[in-house]
Amino acid sequence: MKPSTERNTRDETVWSTAGPPIDATPGEPVICPDMSTLPFARIDKKWQAYWEKNKTFRVQEDPDVPPEKRVYVLDMFPYPSSAGLHVGHPEGYTATDIYCRFLRMNGYHVLHPMGFDSFGLPAENYAIKHGIHPKISTDENIEHFRTQIKALGFSYDWDREISTHEPEYYKWTQWIFLKIWEKGLAYEAQIPINWCTSCMTGLANEEVKNGRCERCGSQVERRDLRQWLLKITAYAERLLSDLDKLEWSESLKLMQRNWIGKSVGANVHFPLIDGEGTIEVFTTRPDTLFGATYMVLAPEHPLVDTLTTQGHKRAVDEYINQARLKSDLERTDLAKEKTGVFTGGYAINPVNKEKIPVWISDYILISYGTGAIMAVPAHDQRDFEFAKKFDLSIVQVVSRDGTEYKLDVADVEDGIAVNSGQFNGLSTSEFKERIVQWLEERGIGSKAINYKLRDWVFSRQRYWGEPIPLLHCEKCGIVPVPYEELPLRLPEVERYTPTGTGESPLVAIEDWVNTECPRCGAQAKRETNTMPQWAGSCWYYIRYLDPHNDTVFAAKDKLEYWMPVDLYVGGAEHAVLHLLYARFWHKVLYDIGVVNTDEPFMRLVNQGMILGEGGVKMSKSLGNVINPDDVVCGYGADAMRMYEMFMGPLKVSKPWSTKGIAGIKRFLDRIWRFSEREISDDEPPQKLLKVLHQTIRKVSTDTETLQFNTAIAQMMIFVSEVGKQSKLYRSVWRSFVLMLAPYAPHLAEELWEKLGGKPSVAYGEYPAWDEDLAKEEMVTVVFQINGKIRGREELSVGMSSTELEQKALDHPRIKEMLAGLTPDKVIVVADKLVNLVVKSV
Ligand SMILES: [Zn+2]
Ligand SMILES: [Zn+2]
């Protein structure tokens, strides 16, 4: 996936914020010769080489594994930018990696792949600047990313790696496009689209944020361009209703729901007064029809010409010209002064036969609904302001109490109908039902559903993307490139610079553009627009299933073996881009019978952002960017992994802390030193066994539910208990090494080997806990105020003084009696009593 802005993590000042490697930090305790530290550099390399050589994490479709034991865990694949990995990438990757390793040790068959989303603008911009072919720079970046990712010890099946810019991959992206085209879901149109003057390309609506280009932040213009669009609107209802099946966060589902923007209402026909045609409007409030006192059309509405009378023509033309210069955002800004002009024409309100004036105004968009509205100023604030400004009549038709009264602002609430003929007295909801029926009976309207979702502007006027596999033949019109000719490869160009004319640099390569029609043999021209950056990521999770298949995009048995994706982890910034587009493609593929599920991603988790120290966003200008390479180099891969998981819950944003990572490194060093003790086969003490079984219970349940930070905290409790022992007990240590393995796999492999285990620990059997052994021993602790017993509580044996004091302070009766006072002195007798001494009580 592409980050919305490029983040440069190659920052020379990085150590000024992250600090030098721990062993050289001034002020750290002097490291005694016998206080050895984890030799992570050696261990990391050793085990990474072992996994690579033995293909430890390769997975095949073993038919003996029952379906409920097959799991597909997916990371949002990265865009291989020249900046390399940033610390946000390993966060999600570590989370899924721990989860996958945990599942494997619990007997699951796990598909966990990685690849690269490698078409996109930065490589092309780099080519423009330096004249280096995007393929060369992209391949270099991928190489760098792969090395960085491997240095963190993730358990990917690298045999399944894919890159979306490889012809072997985009052959199938083009194949899917042709399927979509055959289904009538891709069409060409000359429409006004969002144009980024800086990127010199058209953009999809989803790529425009607050009127600016999602990628570069430039103000977006409107431009009339020939485009390829995908009919995502045909899937609006299913994209909406199928959200209910998914285990995604409510906030993310809501973002998709709002983007799809379904509203239920009625289409109503208003005949023009001279009888030539009707204006169709969509309204969610057909119960306010009697209050429609005027109409407003978008300046681009096709009836504007017909309606405009001679006397109003000049003003109307002038207004249309001005509107053309404004963006949709400017036009629909609620705060702006309402503008508009009267066309001189009239329509008839079909419910009361009133003659009502027709205006034009730029706050009506031709792309939304029908491009025309009935204005009900009494019950819509924008219409109210417009009517006040232009002195148009305002008729109340909804009332709180069934009587008419003066309105100072529009009343948008439901109520009781007034001034509505035979419908007077009806409640809003009842009225809505009755009026739709009434309109339908008379053939002047019908129930209707409207969506905010627009068709997906799918073509880009740039070089570094998948060529759209279509031809324009003089005789046959649009002709698809025959399937057997795919992939239609990107040709070499001399110059990558976008033409800015709305055509891609491919236009200049005449011997590529000019070709023969495969149908009739006549002169034909290739489509020169390329696909948007989102195309390749719409289906990559399918290609992982069968990445080297040359005859189908993925074999049916492999699809059936693994799909759908059980867990998908990535950033929330793709809510209405990648996640909506991929669902759309998947549904089309489902409809043509080439995939076996109607949704691709059953469960989705968005990781929180990793902020700079101090809680601000990492940025080059603030000098607070942490480079993962430096962290791995200074602290080791395991410390990096564990630290990112220990920072806080996966889903929340959290600031980086140099102290924090040093602390994790010390924790790993401590584990390493314990492992150097002589191992004992004696029976471990009860107390240690109890902590062990509590740790297995907590780490198992927390890992399963992706609560990695609390699992690590429990491992720390365990390790400190080990520190209290004079011996290292084999059975206890062995269980701990297994629990540690998903989190710190390099260290765990090494410790496993030291214990005489056969590699790889990645397939060791996860330890089980004994509920009896894990059970806390309970004791009654009494709480006193000034020596008098005021409460008691059953608590687990061995709580610390601070914990006991807190329990006493939290006790409801004690709380009440203290009435907010702080005790002057607290006496704690372990496992027995807490006495709070308060002078003033
Ligand atoms: Zn841009
Ligand atoms: Zn032809």
Side-chain angles (χ1 to χ4, degrees):
M1 297 304 120
K2 281 84 185 171
S4 25
T5 49
E6 280 294 304
R7 274 163 276 204
N8 190 346
T9 55
R10 308 228 139 246
D11 196 313
E12 285 114 70
T13 62
V14 69
W15 282 127
S16 66
T17 54
I22 171 77
D23 292 352
T25 309
E28 282 290 313
V30 178
I31 294 161
C32 311
D34 61 329
M35 286 269 282
S36 68
T37 55
L38 168 67
F40 59 82
R42 179 173 65 77
I43 291 180
D44 286 2
K45 265 210 196 76
K46 172 181 166 184
W47 292 104
Q48 282 161 19
Y50 177 89
W51 297 326
E52 177 117 17
K53 182 166 167 260
N54 292 285
K55 294 191 185 284
T56 306
F57 304 108
R58 183 171 60 177
V59 66
Q60 274 159 335
E61 292 75 20
D62 177 355
D64 293 338
V65 176
E68 67 275 12
K69 283 282 180 186
R70 304 166 188 168
V71 186
Y72 186 178
V73 179
L74 181 70
D75 287 309
M76 284 188 187
F77 66 165
Y79 171 73
S81 68
S82 60
L85 223 57
H86 60 77
V87 288
H89 286 120
E91 188 195 8
Y93 304 164
T94 305
T96 53
D97 192 62
I98 292 170
Y99 185 62
C100 288
R101 287 173 177 272
F102 173 78
L103 291 175
R104 285 189 202 101
M105 294 175 78
N106 280 285
Y108 287 86
H109 207 49
V110 181
L111 174 61
H112 191 41
M114 179 46 80
F116 300 96
D117 191 9
S118 41
F119 269 133
L121 278 182
E124 188 169 345
N125 290 341
Y126 189 80
I128 293 163
K129 221 169 163 183
H130 303 283
I132 291 168
H133 195 285
K135 165 134 179 71
I136 294 168
S137 58
T138 299
D139 287 345
E140 278 172 11
N141 292 346
I142 287 175
E143 180 68 40
H144 181 216
F145 259 73
R146 195 191 294 115
T147 307
Q148 286 186 301
I149 291 173
K150 285 189 174 176
L152 285 157
F154 299 128
S155 60
Y156 295 120
D157 177 356
W158 285 103
D159 283 0
R160 294 174 184 263
E161 180 189 334
I162 49 117
S163 292
T164 59
H165 77 291
E166 297 287 358
E168 298 73 43
Y169 181 90
Y170 71 68
K171 167 181 176 172
W172 298 103
T173 311
Q174 291 173 329
W175 181 87
I176 297 170
F177 177 86
L178 287 184
K179 292 289 171 195
I180 292 172
W181 182 78
E182 279 171 11
K183 227 178 153 325
L185 293 168
Y187 64 96
E188 215 183 3
Q190 181 87 23
I191 55 155
I193 60 142
N194 304 297
W195 176 266
C196 175
T197 49
S198 163
C199 297
M200 287 197 236
T201 184
L203 301 172
N205 290 325
E206 289 80 2
E207 291 171 302
V208 180
K209 299 264 152 73
N210 300 325
R212 291 179 181 275
C213 169
E214 188 246 357
R215 171 157 294 278
C216 73
S218 307
Q219 189 95 37
V220 164
E221 281 182 11
R222 303 295 286 177
R223 254 205 205 187
D224 260 4
L225 270 187
R226 181 184 67 85
Q227 290 298 326
W228 280 95
L229 290 102
L230 299 192
K231 221 180 263 178
I232 191 170
T233 51
Y235 282 73
E237 188 57 44
R238 283 164 67 192
L239 288 168
L240 186 70
S241 59
D242 286 351
L243 282 172
D244 296 341
K245 297 181 186 172
L246 305 178
E247 204 186 319
W248 292 16
S249 74
E250 271 314 307
S251 65
L252 202 97
K253 286 187 189 180
L254 188 67
M255 279 161 86
Q256 287 213 352
R257 284 194 190 107
N258 289 344
W259 188 260
I260 296 166
K262 179 183 181 176
S263 48
V264 178
N267 276 336
V268 187
H269 309 290
F270 286 67
L272 300 189
I273 196 141
D274 57 10
E276 273 182 55
T278 55
I279 302 172
E280 194 177 331
V281 301
F282 169 80
T283 173
T284 56
R285 292 292 303 268
D287 62 298
T288 61
L289 259 166
F290 286 83
T293 52
Y294 64 100
M295 301 190 83
V296 190
L297 307 186
E300 302 85 355
H301 196 284
L303 283 175
V304 171
D305 244 14
T306 320
L307 276 156
T308 305
T309 56
Q310 206 49 44
H312 292 84
K313 195 166 170 20
R314 240 186 83 184
V316 166
D317 285 348
E318 219 166 86
Y319 189 83
I320 290 171
N321 281 332
Q322 275 171 14
R324 200 166 282 155
L325 302 173
K326 294 185 195 169
S327 71
D328 284 2
L329 194 83
E330 286 173 83
R331 284 173 57 165
T332 51
D333 182 358
L334 287 174
K336 90 172 172 93
E337 178 80 355
K338 304 289 167 290
T339 61
V341 287
F342 180 41
T343 60
Y346 290 86
I348 307 276
N349 184 332
V351 293
N352 57 14
K353 307 286 183 246
E354 295 273 344
K355 175 179 153 186
I356 59 175
V358 182
W359 285 61
I360 61 169
S361 174
D362 61 11
Y363 76 83
I364 308 299
L365 300 179
I366 190 69
S367 57
Y368 182 69
T370 60
I373 62 147
M374 63 177 212
V376 185
H379 305 289
D380 178 287
Q381 188 56 29
R382 198 158 51 175
D383 296 346
F384 186 87
E385 285 166 24
F386 195 90
K388 281 278 179 204
K389 179 165 177 185
F390 297 109
D391 202 19
L392 295 156
S393 77
I394 300 173
V395 177
Q396 184 187 13
V397 290
V398 183
S399 152
R400 299 296 166 89
D401 55 9
T403 66
E404 202 183 336
Y405 41 80
K406 191 181 172 308
L407 294 167
D408 295 322
V409 286
D411 182 357
V412 299
E413 302 295 320
D414 287 5
I416 298 159
V418 293
N419 290 326
S420 297
Q422 71 270 39
F423 299 98
N424 280 342
L426 289 182
S427 71
T428 299
S429 58
E430 217 176 321
F431 195 162
K432 278 183 180 173
E433 263 172 47
R434 296 268 290 274
I435 189 78
V436 170
Q437 203 187 343
W438 188 92
L439 291 166
E440 280 176 352
E441 279 164 14
R442 282 155 187 78
I444 49 173
S446 55
K447 188 177 166 153
I449 291 166
N450 202 37
Y451 298 93
K452 271 192 204 145
L453 184 69
R454 299 276 75 98
D455 279 340
W456 176 12
V457 175
F458 191 72
S459 41
R460 298 292 178 274
Q461 295 70 43
R462 299 290 304 240
Y463 171 72
W464 191 232
E466 301 86 349
I468 291 177
L470 294 173
L471 304 165
H472 300 264
C473 168
E474 290 165 4
K475 291 189 185 139
C476 316
I478 291 160
V479 179
V481 171
Y483 283 109
E484 58 274 16
E485 283 177 29
L486 299 182
L488 170 61
R489 286 166 192 267
L490 258 181
E492 299 272 335
V493 293
E494 302 266 311
R495 293 176 69 246
Y496 306 95
T497 320
T499 61
T501 59
E503 289 191 289
S504 92
L506 292 174
V507 179
I509 313 166
E510 286 187 16
D511 56 349
W512 184 82
V513 172
N514 295 312
T515 183
E516 243 176 41
C517 172
R519 265 189 207 156
C520 72
Q523 267 283 329
K525 278 189 187 299
R526 292 194 189 280
E527 172 62 51
T528 54
N529 282 321
T530 52
M531 297 189 202
Q533 60 188 56
W534 308 103
S537 60
C538 270
W539 73 284
Y540 75 111
Y541 55 91
I542 296 172
R543 191 60 178 170
Y544 282 143
L545 307 176
D546 201 1
H548 311 296
N549 197 327
D550 201 28
T551 50
V552 283
F553 80 141
K556 230 183 165 91
D557 56 332
K558 297 196 172 176
L559 276 154
E560 271 157 19
Y561 194 92
W562 293 114
M563 283 300 286
V565 172
D566 297 284
L567 175 66
Y568 194 17
V569 174
E573 65 271 27
H574 300 294
V576 294
L577 291 155
H578 162 63
L579 289 170
L580 191 67
Y581 295 150
R583 290 183 64 219
F584 164 49
W585 275 39
H586 195 86
K587 285 183 183 304
V588 176
L589 294 171
Y590 178 72
D591 288 351
I592 62 173
V594 293
V595 297
N596 58 325
T597 62
D598 63 353
E599 281 289 336
F601 319 120
M602 294 320 286
R603 183 175 171 211
L604 179 86
V605 170
N606 295 125
Q607 84 251 25
M609 254 213 308
I610 293 187
L611 305 165
E613 296 212 36
V616 291
K617 212 173 163 170
M618 283 191 193
S619 77
K620 206 181 172 192
S621 58
L622 290 171
N624 63 351
V625 177
I626 303 290
N627 183 341
D629 290 353
D630 297 331
V631 179
V632 169
C633 190
Y635 302 90
D638 289 337
M640 170 80 175
R641 293 167 58 106
M642 270 194 131
Y643 174 61
E644 289 215 348
M645 294 302 100
F646 189 57
M647 289 172 84
L650 180 63
K651 294 174 194 173
V652 307
S653 293
K654 50 241 157 189
W656 186 268
S657 149
T658 303
K659 269 195 191 146
I661 187 146
I664 286 286
K665 173 63 172 37
R666 279 198 298 272
F667 170 61
L668 296 176
D669 286 340
R670 210 171 170 212
I671 295 172
W672 178 252
R673 282 197 298 274
F674 289 158
S675 80
E676 292 186 325
R677 290 180 179 179
E678 203 187 321
I679 201 103
S680 164
D681 286 310
D682 292 352
E683 190 63 31
Q686 265 328 101
K687 178 79 198 297
L688 180 62
L689 274 180
K690 189 171 80 180
V691 179
L692 172 71
H693 284 269
Q694 288 174 342
T695 304
I696 301 174
R697 181 175 62 193
K698 178 91 178 136
V699 174
S700 302
T701 49
D702 285 1
T703 305
E704 202 174 356
T705 50
L706 314 182
Q707 292 169 289
F708 306 115
N709 57 327
T710 49
I712 294 170
Q714 180 64 36
M715 285 193 247
M716 289 172 170
I717 292 172
F718 171 82
V719 167
S720 96
E721 192 59 38
V722 170
K724 291 177 195 163
Q725 310 294 326
S726 52
K727 296 176 182 170
L728 188 69
Y729 296 95
R730 182 184 300 277
S731 60
V732 171
W733 191 242
R734 189 179 178 280
S735 295
F736 173 67
V737 169
L738 287 163
M739 268 188 281
L740 183 68
Y743 288 80
H746 308 83
L747 174 57
E749 291 278 18
E750 189 69 17
L751 300 184
W752 186 247
E753 196 182 57
K754 275 177 132 182
L755 278 169
K758 238 176 82 86
S760 161
V761 71
Y763 293 94
E765 195 184 328
Y766 205 81
W769 74 89
D770 180 329
E771 200 60 60
D772 276 342
L773 283 172
K775 207 158 67 191
E776 278 294 346
E777 246 179 275
M778 302 301 276
V779 71
T780 308
V781 177
V782 297
F783 301 144
Q784 302 175 331
I785 294 179
N786 295 340
K788 286 197 182 118
I789 297 178
R790 299 300 189 191
R792 41 186 105 228
E793 200 172 331
E794 286 291 296
L795 294 172
S796 48
V797 170
M799 286 183 106
S800 71
S801 306
T802 8
E803 283 173 313
L804 286 170
E805 181 183 335
Q806 198 54 49
K807 287 285 176 193
L809 292 170
D810 289 345
H811 189 275
R813 176 120 192 271
I814 302 285
K815 235 185 182 158
E816 191 191 315
M817 293 188 75
L818 284 180
L821 289 171
T822 314
D824 298 289
K825 200 174 155 193
V826 181
I827 301 154
V828 179
V829 182
D831 297 335
K832 284 208 171 71
L833 71 82
V834 181
N835 183 15
L836 308 168
V837 182
V838 191
K839 280 179 193 139
S840 46
V841 172

